[in-house]
Amino acid sequence: VNSALCELVGYPEEQLLAIDFQTLTHPDDLRRDLDSILELVAGKRLNYQTEKRYLHKLGHVVHILLSTSLIRDDLGKPLYFVSQIKDITQRKEAEERTQASLLEKEVLLKEIHHRVKNNLQIVSTLLDLQSGYTQDPQALEMFAESRGRVKSMALIHERLYRSQDLARINFAEYIRQLADDLYNTYKVSQSEIILKVDVDVPPLPIDIAIPCGLLLNELISNCLKHAFQDCRKGTIEVQLGADDNGNFLRVRDDGQGFPKNLDFRHSPSFGMQLVLTLTDQLHGQIELKNQQGTEFTVRFPGRRS
């Protein structure tokens, strides 16, 4: 031993030479250390390096980085071990402080998402209460649509609040729940109008998820309101995926089709104007196919620049 090791563990040289490394090693680290020693002796490895804990003579823990090799004689018989020991206590304590800080921020972010969700639900409730002061069908429809938009944003914050990853949202689950709310809003049975969902992208970051959620709200709402007026049976397909041209969001129905005499880019509908605005927000492009139903496809890059 040398003076540095004596200072590290608090033992004078004569005491340190009288004990073995098992006495110094933290009990939770001992099994792993012994296994590595046995592999050295058996010739399965030439050396090993590991982080472990020593117990200081005064009782506190010292974090170390241990590098050990086995020296043999000319016949291959083990003679002794040579170990290099580096004190990494300050680094480990800094890592622990960083981890604690990250955990604190994670709790704070969850609380923020929870409060945003609650505030959006309050807005939705206020819209619902306000709608009770009118009997105008057009005004009632606008209130219902506004509540749907607010709910689509609240749902994203609820998903993030419940998620292990506070930066990204599982969109397959989100689409299903959003569709359930819209089916209830428009009093449509999923046994009559079938929803098919195909999501083949990783969880989305919040800056992509919110405009995508609002786009879905508008496009699925349009399907439920307009596509099946002549026939209450049909299918809505929602796809979110990626190809050689980037990410895409597609909503397709097999209903009566978009009015052929109406340019959707210049539609007076607030919902369609919102779709175009959200597409721009994603730095994307939108196209319409109007054959055997309606198909809107929005293509956009992975992240907003």
Side-chain angles (χ1 to χ4, degrees), residues 6-284:
C6 293
E7 183 179 351
L8 183 70
V9 294
Y11 289 91
E13 183 175 336
E14 61 275 10
Q15 290 187 19
L16 195 54
L17 289 172
I19 60 178
D20 54 30
F21 80 91
Q22 291 97 320
T23 303
L24 292 176
T25 301
H26 191 287
D28 293 344
D29 298 339
L30 186 57
R31 182 71 265 165
R32 174 165 48 88
D33 210 6
L34 288 173
D35 288 343
S36 297
I37 289 289
L38 292 174
E39 289 181 358
L40 280 182
V41 174
K44 295 181 179 179
R45 59 200 302 180
L46 298 176
N47 51 60
Y48 76 91
Q49 186 178 81
T50 186
E51 292 183 6
K52 59 180 282 188
R53 290 163 290 179
Y54 275 162
L55 298 176
H56 193 277
K57 185 179 181 180
L58 298 179
H60 61 267
V61 170
V62 179
H63 293 271
I64 66 162
L65 177 64
L66 173 69
S67 301
T68 300
S69 301
L70 176 62
I71 306 301
R72 301 175 185 269
D73 63 16
D74 293 340
L75 298 177
K77 179 181 177 181
L79 294 177
Y80 51 84
F81 297 103
V82 175
S83 295
Q84 292 179 319
I85 300 163
K86 181 179 180 181
D87 185 359
I88 59 170
T89 302
Q90 288 186 349
R91 192 196 82 191
K92 297 299 289 187
E93 290 176 347
E95 289 174 357
E96 290 171 359
R97 288 194 298 270
T98 300
Q99 188 62 35
S101 177
L102 288 173
L103 181 59
E104 181 181 347
K105 288 179 173 61
E106 182 177 324
V107 172
L108 179 61
L109 278 173
K110 280 185 174 287
E111 180 62 21
I112 289 171
H113 285 305
H114 186 58
R115 292 192 181 193
V116 170
K117 179 206 71 171
N118 287 345
N119 289 338
L120 288 169
Q121 287 178 334
I122 290 171
V123 173
S124 179
T125 301
L126 290 173
L127 289 169
D128 191 29
L129 291 172
Q130 190 69 44
S131 68
Y133 288 87
T134 181
Q135 298 298 319
D136 183 350
Q138 187 175 3
L140 289 171
E141 182 179 354
M142 287 192 293
F143 277 120
E145 290 173 349
S146 296
R147 287 201 306 274
R149 291 165 186 138
V150 172
K151 278 186 176 181
S152 72
M153 291 186 287
L155 185 56
I156 286 176
H157 288 282
E158 180 182 4
R159 286 285 173 186
L160 288 170
Y161 171 68
R162 299 180 185 279
S163 173
Q164 295 297 317
D165 186 348
L166 293 177
R168 296 176 179 272
I169 182 171
N170 185 320
F171 228 66
E173 297 175 0
Y174 171 82
I175 292 172
R176 288 290 182 187
Q177 190 168 347
L178 175 64
D180 285 344
D181 288 343
L182 291 174
Y183 273 68
N184 290 331
T185 298
Y186 293 103
K187 298 179 173 57
V188 175
S189 169
Q190 293 197 32
S191 63
E192 296 176 336
I193 300 177
I194 299 170
L195 177 70
K196 296 182 179 179
V197 176
D198 179 15
V199 175
D200 189 22
V201 291
L204 296 178
I206 189 171
D207 61 337
I208 299 292
I210 287 180
C212 279
L214 287 167
L215 274 169
L216 282 170
N217 183 82
E218 298 304 319
L219 294 175
I220 296 175
S221 294
N222 281 344
C223 293
L224 296 174
K225 285 192 297 181
H226 304 301
F228 306 103
Q229 290 180 341
D230 297 334
C231 176
R232 294 293 291 179
K233 291 186 178 294
T235 302
I236 299 173
E237 297 179 35
V238 178
Q239 286 181 283
L240 179 62
D243 57 23
D244 294 340
N245 297 316
N247 294 333
F248 65 87
L249 174 65
R250 179 173 295 128
V251 178
R252 178 193 301 122
D253 66 67
D254 57 1
Q256 62 190 25
F258 200 84
K260 296 187 182 298
N261 60 346
L262 180 62
D263 180 359
F264 77 93
R265 297 183 189 277
H266 299 92
S267 169
S269 163
F270 175 73
M272 193 53 62
Q273 292 176 25
L274 183 57
V275 166
L276 297 174
T277 300
L278 292 165
T279 301
D280 289 341
Q281 187 177 340
L282 287 168
H283 298 298

